[in-house]
Amino acid sequence: MDADVIVVGAGPVGLFLAAELKLAGAEPLVLERRETPSGEPRARGLGALATEALWRRGLGEQLAAADVEGTKDLARDHGSTRGHFANIFKIVPSDDRPRTNIWQPELERVLAEHAEGVRILRGHEVTALESDVDGVTVTAGRTWRARYVVGCDGGRSTVRKLAGFGFPGTPALLRTIAGQARFAGDVPPAGRHPGGTFLHGGSMVGVTEPASAPETAGFAASVRRVTGVDVVVEEFREERRFTDQARQADTYRRGRVLLAGDAAHVHSPSGGQGLNLGIPDAANLGWKLGAVLRGDKPEAFLDTYTRERHPAGEAVLRNTRAQSALLAPGPHVDALREIVADVMDLPEANRYFAELLAGTKIRYDFPYPAGRPAGEHCPDLEIVDAGGRKSRLHEHTRTGRGLLLTSEDLADPRVDVVPAANTGPLLLRPDGVIAWAGDGDLATALGTWF
Ligand SMILES: Cc1cc2nc3c(=O)[nH]c(=O)nc-3n(C[C@H](O)[C@H](O)[C@H](O)COP(=O)(O)OP(=O)(O)OC[C@H]3O[C@@H](n4cnc5c(N)ncnc54)[C@H](O)[C@@H]3O)c2cc1C
């Protein structure tokens, strides 16, 4: 064996997963096709669940530093730092859970540093894969062997195709061309136009139109078709094209091959949710694979990964499809948008949209009776011990072990005990999910996960 786990892809999800595996005592090997990190400014926002996952591993300071510039850039490009649903910029976070404005290349730099000590081989494209009872053989130049392989190789995942995962979903309704543009002469106003949406702010521009529109040679032709204005584009750089096709792997595990991040789910970037799914995928899978590799848990334990994360992905696909419906051009959609925008002014509705995009109301079903908030991701609680000393949850989670927050004198070798006089008892998994909150039997919860 060259490693316990081969992680294919050194994007944000692969890097974070590799670090989680290392923390769980496993030996990961990352194979990445690119010689150098891509530098493509795709994601610029990390949602609450992804931000908290990185805080738990001590990356809070780096994220906070990046957030200063990231938030300025967001205000410049979007004209608002509010969250949006289908470009209706009205969402105010309903909680004090952290979010981060960080450009993806900077995030990847932070995560590569965090994964220090993990073997990452760049310039290694995976082209073949074969599973047997003992492990998986992967071809990237030469062959590599490990007990498990995780495809973190993005939306066009080779691992997903080679291992025969189904990838059902809906084709593109809309397509977007974005980049940095310099115009000569008149620039049409930003916003909705008869043929689609034209956005510009700062130096960033984007044009979204129905995917059924004829494929055109370039950005200027799309802008003309959408706005009716005969724009002259002097320069167009950093072109990116993407669609809103929404697809999800039918399962996240086939034997010894697993998927995480965009390899498991693709959808429109509306609302910036890809990494708020992908990073929690990695957080969910890392410690579970570690437990199986140590022999603490049988292989079937890995099925809880699909059981928990597939519905989370489904929820995002659903809300991005709804956003696409609201982004389609035409007077009927204009009318619907006005009504949705009015509804978003209602505080309860605003909270609904905020929670929908943050994913914080996602609750896993457990195989034992457990009342709320068991099954939810725990926020970064303030903890006060019996002596009045204060700390935050993320200060106790660097080891990647389970935690028992309690005011009682309990000890269990499977988890770390954190004295907490200000909260009810809580059992937390290494991925920050509340496994038990005082309802039902602690021993069952401990035995299920540890
Ligand atoms: C315009 C745009 C804006 C976005 N904005 C946001 C946002 O604000 N917030 C947010 O959360 N998300 C956003 N997203 C989505 C986000 O960028 C993705 O969800 C994220 O990149 C997924 O990370 P990943 O690690 O799963 O995959 P990727 O980032 O795609 O990384 C996959 C890696 O695998 C490598 N690879 C591929 N094939 C192979 C192979 N055969 N062998 C070896 N290596 C391979 C690739 O080179 C790459 O490094 C946006 C996306 C777009 C397009």
Side-chain angles (χ1 to χ4, degrees), residues 85 88-90 326 334-350 353:
F85 190 78
I88 305 173
F89 284 83
K90 286 199 169 185
L326 279 170
D334 289 342
L336 180 59
R337 288 175 67 85
E338 282 174 26
I339 291 171
V340 172
D342 285 346
V343 169
M344 285 168 78
D345 287 334
L346 305 173
E348 272 299 299
N350 203 286
F353 281 102

Side-chain angles (χ1 to χ4, degrees), residues 338-406:
E338 282 174 26
I339 291 171
V340 172
D342 285 346
V343 169
M344 285 168 78
D345 287 334
L346 305 173
E348 272 299 299
N350 203 286
R351 187 187 1 254
Y352 169 84
F353 281 102
E355 288 173 354
L356 185 70
L357 295 185
T360 44
K361 287 293 158 197
I362 285 287
R363 181 166 183 243
Y364 300 154
D365 275 340
F366 287 158
Y368 52 86
R372 258 181 205 279
E376 293 181 3
H377 285 81
C378 192
D380 189 40
L381 298 174
E382 182 179 73
I383 298 170
V384 185
D385 70 13
R389 273 182 303 272
K390 290 181 179 172
S391 60
R392 305 296 303 203
L393 177 61
H394 74 261
E395 295 169 51
H396 302 274
T397 49
R398 293 287 289 272
T399 59
R401 282 168 54 82
L403 294 186
L404 181 59
L405 275 57
T406 174

Side-chain angles (χ1 to χ4, degrees), residues 8-14 31-34 40-47 104 108 124-127 152-155 157-159 240 242 260-263 267 269 271-276 278:
V8 182
V13 175
L31 299 175
E32 163 60 47
R33 165 176 72 185
R34 289 176 170 278
E40 190 189 339
R42 283 197 277 165
R44 63 187 304 157
L46 271 190
Q104 189 159 334
E108 289 181 21
H124 284 67
E125 176 166 5
V126 169
T127 52
C152 298
D153 51 344
S157 174
T158 303
V159 172
R240 282 165 291 146
F242 51 90
D262 279 14
H267 50 81
Q273 302 170 85
L275 288 169
N276 206 39

